[in-house]
Amino acid sequence: MAITRRTTLGWLTAGAASAPLLSACATAPVVPSGSDSAFGQIAAQWLDESLRLSPVAATGLGDHRFDHLVDDVSTAGRAAQVNLARSVLTRLDALPSEGLSRADQVDAALLRQNLRAQIWSDAELQSWAWDPLTYAATAGGALYSLQAREFAPLPDRLRSATARMRALPALLAESRRQLQPARVPEIHATTAVGQNRGLHSLVDGFTAEANALQGAEREALLSAAAQLKAAVDEHQRWLETELVPNARGNWRIGARLYDQKLAYALNSDLTRQEIVRRGERALADTRAQMYVLATRILAGRPGAPETPANPNADQQQHAIEAALELAYAEKPGRNAIVSTAEAMLEQTTAFVREKDLVTVPNDPIRIGLVPEFQRGVALAYCDAPGPLDRGQATYYKIAPLPEDWTDAQVDSFLREYNLRSMQELTIHEAMPGHYLQLAHSNRYPSVIRAVLGSGTFTEGWACYAQDVMAEAGYLGGEDLYQLVHLKWVLRMIANAMLDPAVHAGDMTRDQAIDLMVRGTFQQEREAAGKWTRAQLSSAQLPTYFVGWEEHWEARRAAERAWGSGFNLKRYHDGLLSFGSPPVRYARALLLDEAIPA
């Protein structure tokens, strides 16, 4: 499954939200709706100071005032961010909510949740001490955000890159001081080894463009590049000879931290126990639906397993597996995944327009390979621009197959991402999934709502969008496509069951692989990759399932409220018009319900 990666000021991930609405050349952010209110001033001042303290995030979010700077990852730098959070939270808690507009009530709730989470994360989770990937993301993002989009003339971006390349050796050195090898999990250390190497390709991308500068500026860029590459090599040696051999940390964060992190990540009352219970029910229901499809698909086929009306567990398993084999036989070529996705994007876009399911944006979108410094966590992701970088492209990125994979591993991967499964991936990441939803979100005029967008809303929407396409009869509504679609539903359910079981429990690799391979029909390469991802992240995998359920609950509420006035385009455009808050807030705004406390 995919991760939506966007630079954000949120505490939880290095990229799962929208971007702030700032003036491209402003010295201060534009205040949100209700600008005369005390909340508007608090929000604007928090955002301005936060962006100053997080220059790499600022670039990705669309504010280019700090493109020449990098983050201060030292103890003092973290303290400045936490002190800001405490100060703003004190002011926010003293603010009466009665006079706020409904929109400001939502934004105030999002800001309060984020500030509390940031303070908790620094003091309790302490990923700064044990997760080298946070530093890798900052270092890589500092360069990639200047390279990926043409938000300014190339010479200007090269000058910013020169300044950042000069600063990054100190950031890498500081990360070595902050990290405590005995607390670093081995899987995080080894993944950082691979990602750090990817910084070389980012630097080479700038040196290849050096002739866009002249004289002393060109020489300064080349000098900064050489110094950074030397620093990257030094950091690589430390990772390989010091960090990896001494990495002794437990990648399981434990029940106490997990429950706290999950509550912040979801902004929901759901506990992990309830999520697992819901997942178990959904898994059984979805497998039953898949069996019905399998019986139709296999009917009359020579050698097909028996499909009784009331199958036992083995009969259900064998029938679904046999039907899925027909989909696995139709695979993209090893080097044709990107071109396959491009063709499918045209197809899905045409279908959404034909069925008039939702307003389709005209924002540009490009499909390409995941940069080397971001590989090793997820197969694909959607990288959408901030709203101030309007006209810039959204990127639907897909990771290339590793060169060292055996033929059997390649075949396992391509069976999982067969032609119908690639349709599901493209729907999820692009149309009408993340690309479409984030393009709508970028148009909502709220600073806080954009910066602190909900991962549960965005991931839940992409999963719900897959349902909408299947429901509308995509690919003629054929049974085999519907079967593959339900397999993706099972993958989403498995995410929600796997994450708490490994981080708040003691699920082993064998148990996790069994859940994914036998329980939800995933191929070995997909299951192995998800096991790695489950170790490297926490509290993100359940966002798909929880958000999916919340989106369906919101739609059913709208159907009840609007009656004969309900139609999908009205509902979808309405819900997406509020940005990317948690679904319960968007639902309340759309249906004029009470704003959740």
Side-chain angles (χ1 to χ4, degrees):
M1 209 66 170
I3 295 177
T4 304
R5 290 191 179 273
R6 306 187 65 191
T7 309
T8 177
L9 293 176
W11 66 278
L12 183 59
T13 69
S18 295
L21 186 63
L22 304 174
S23 171
C25 57
T27 58
V30 176
V31 295
S33 59
S35 60
D36 292 334
S37 70
F39 171 71
Q41 297 302 317
I42 291 172
Q45 291 167 12
W46 169 78
L47 182 60
D48 187 53
E49 187 59 27
S50 293
L51 292 173
R52 291 180 186 279
L53 294 173
S54 304
V56 175
T59 300
L61 292 170
D63 181 350
H64 298 293
R65 293 176 291 163
F66 313 110
D67 287 354
H68 59 296
L69 302 174
V70 300
D71 296 19
D72 180 357
V73 298
S74 69
T75 302
R78 289 199 323 275
Q81 293 184 330
V82 171
N83 289 340
L84 174 65
R86 292 185 186 279
S87 172
V88 174
L89 184 59
T90 298
R91 295 173 61 196
L92 195 60
D93 285 344
L95 182 68
S97 61
E98 294 78 14
L100 296 180
S101 68
R102 287 171 59 81
D104 279 358
Q105 287 178 47
V106 171
D107 290 349
L110 298 183
L111 180 55
R112 182 178 290 107
Q113 173 89 347
N114 181 76
L115 296 171
R116 290 172 176 168
Q118 184 179 3
I119 295 166
W120 169 84
S121 181
D122 184 77
E124 298 291 333
L125 189 62
Q126 297 184 352
S127 57
W128 49 268
W130 55 264
D131 188 359
L133 302 183
T134 62
Y135 300 102
T138 300
L143 301 181
Y144 178 74
S145 59
L146 298 175
Q147 198 173 81
R149 294 185 175 86
E150 297 176 358
F151 58 81
L154 178 59
D156 290 346
R157 289 184 286 122
L158 290 176
R159 293 182 189 102
S160 296
T162 299
R164 283 189 168 175
M165 286 191 289
R166 284 173 174 160
L168 281 174
L171 185 149
L172 294 175
E174 184 59 44
S175 75
R176 296 195 290 272
R177 286 188 286 270
Q178 293 295 319
L179 288 167
Q180 301 168 19
R183 297 179 62 185
V184 176
E186 183 180 8
I187 185 67
H188 290 69
T190 56
T191 303
V193 166
Q195 291 190 348
N196 185 67
R197 294 193 191 102
L199 293 177
H200 274 285
S201 62
L202 291 174
V203 176
D204 290 341
F206 287 117
T207 58
E209 303 282 1
N211 287 338
L213 299 177
Q214 302 295 321
E217 288 187 328
R218 180 180 181 278
E219 294 306 313
L221 183 148
L222 295 175
S223 174
Q227 292 173 17
L228 177 55
K229 293 184 81 168
V232 169
D233 291 341
E234 179 185 1
H235 193 59
Q236 188 75 20
R237 287 190 293 272
W238 180 82
L239 290 171
E240 294 177 354
T241 63
E242 296 294 331
L243 187 61
V244 172
N246 295 298
R248 298 289 184 268
N250 187 352
W251 55 266
R252 301 181 199 267
I253 66 172
R256 181 183 67 85
L257 290 177
Y258 182 83
D259 287 345
Q260 293 170 331
K261 186 175 183 182
L262 187 69
Y264 285 125
L266 299 180
N267 198 342
S268 165
D269 295 331
L270 287 179
T271 64
R272 63 179 160 91
Q273 294 89 347
E274 178 59 23
I275 291 169
V276 171
R277 282 193 292 271
R278 291 188 181 196
E280 290 171 344
R281 290 195 299 269
L283 188 147
D285 290 346
T286 304
R287 285 179 60 108
Q289 295 174 52
M290 293 177 74
Y291 180 75
V292 173
L293 287 169
T295 60
R296 294 206 298 261
I297 292 167
L298 296 173
R301 290 185 178 271
E306 62 176 311
T307 55
N310 296 299
N312 61 36
D314 285 341
Q315 289 168 329
Q316 184 194 69
Q317 186 79 22
H318 295 153
I320 295 172
E321 289 175 343
L324 284 170
E325 284 293 334
L326 300 174
Y328 298 157
E330 300 181 44
K331 301 172 289 190
R334 174 173 184 157
N335 298 315
I337 293 176
V338 169
S339 60
T340 298
E342 289 172 338
M344 290 175 175
L345 178 58
E346 292 183 9
Q347 187 177 3
T348 56
T349 302
F351 183 84
V352 172
R353 286 198 169 110
E354 175 193 349
K355 297 294 184 179
D356 205 24
L357 299 174
V358 60
T359 297
V360 176
N362 293 318
D363 305 44
I365 178 171
R366 301 173 188 165
I367 304 176
L369 297 177
V370 174
E372 187 178 356
F373 82 96
Q374 291 177 330
R375 295 174 192 170
V377 180
L379 165 70
Y381 67 86
C382 174
D383 175 16
L388 282 201
D389 286 332
R390 289 190 179 180
Q392 298 299 311
T394 290
Y395 293 102
Y396 164 17
K397 296 284 191 176
I398 304 173
L401 277 64
E403 294 293 336
D404 60 354
W405 272 9
T406 66
D407 290 344
Q409 289 173 321
V410 170
D411 184 66
S412 172
F413 178 89
L414 295 177
R415 281 163 59 85
E416 182 73 20
Y417 289 93
N418 57 76
L419 292 178
R420 290 173 180 82
S421 195
M422 283 295 298
Q423 295 275 9
E424 287 290 283
L425 181 66
T426 301
I427 291 168
H428 183 99
E429 296 299 336
M431 176 61 69
H434 288 319
Y435 154 72
L436 180 141
Q437 184 266 314
L438 291 169
H440 278 263
S441 181
N442 276 353
R443 288 162 171 75
Y444 184 78
S446 166
V447 181
I448 301 303
R449 191 103 35 104
V451 172
L452 304 178
S454 165
T456 305
F457 185 101
T458 57
E459 296 297 0
W461 168 267
C463 295
Y464 164 79
Q466 292 172 258
D467 282 354
V468 169
M469 295 290 276
E471 177 188 44
Y474 187 59
L475 297 188
E478 66 155 1
D479 285 342
L480 196 53
Y481 164 67
Q482 296 284 340
L483 184 70
V484 171
H485 166 67
L486 289 178
K487 174 182 166 175
W488 273 70
V489 174
L490 283 185
R491 285 172 36 151
M492 170 189 65
I493 296 167
N495 286 348
M497 298 174 67
L498 177 69
D499 197 62
V502 297
H503 283 288
D506 57 2
M507 176 179 272
T508 66
R509 184 184 191 278
D510 287 346
Q511 291 170 331
I513 296 297
D514 184 70
L515 168 65
M516 290 183 280
V517 172
R518 183 170 175 80
T520 61
F521 304 101
Q522 298 178 48
Q523 294 293 299
E524 182 274 336
R525 280 295 82 193
E526 176 68 16
K530 190 62 63 62
W531 172 249
T532 296
R533 180 171 163 186
Q535 296 172 84
L536 292 172
S537 66
S538 57
Q540 194 272 336
L541 286 174
T543 61
Y544 301 87
F545 176 66
V546 172
W548 172 73
E549 284 210 324
E550 289 179 341
H551 273 288
W552 270 110
E553 290 168 1
R555 172 171 153 181
R556 293 185 186 108
E559 289 172 341
R560 292 191 299 269
W562 296 349
S564 61
F566 178 90
N567 69 70
L568 283 179
K569 188 172 186 179
R570 176 191 175 191
Y571 171 72
H572 292 152
D573 284 359
L575 192 77
L576 296 181
S577 72
F578 297 107
S580 302
V583 182
R584 58 183 180 147
Y585 290 107
R587 168 182 166 170
L589 292 169
L590 179 67
L591 302 181
D592 199 27
E593 298 174 342
I595 301 297

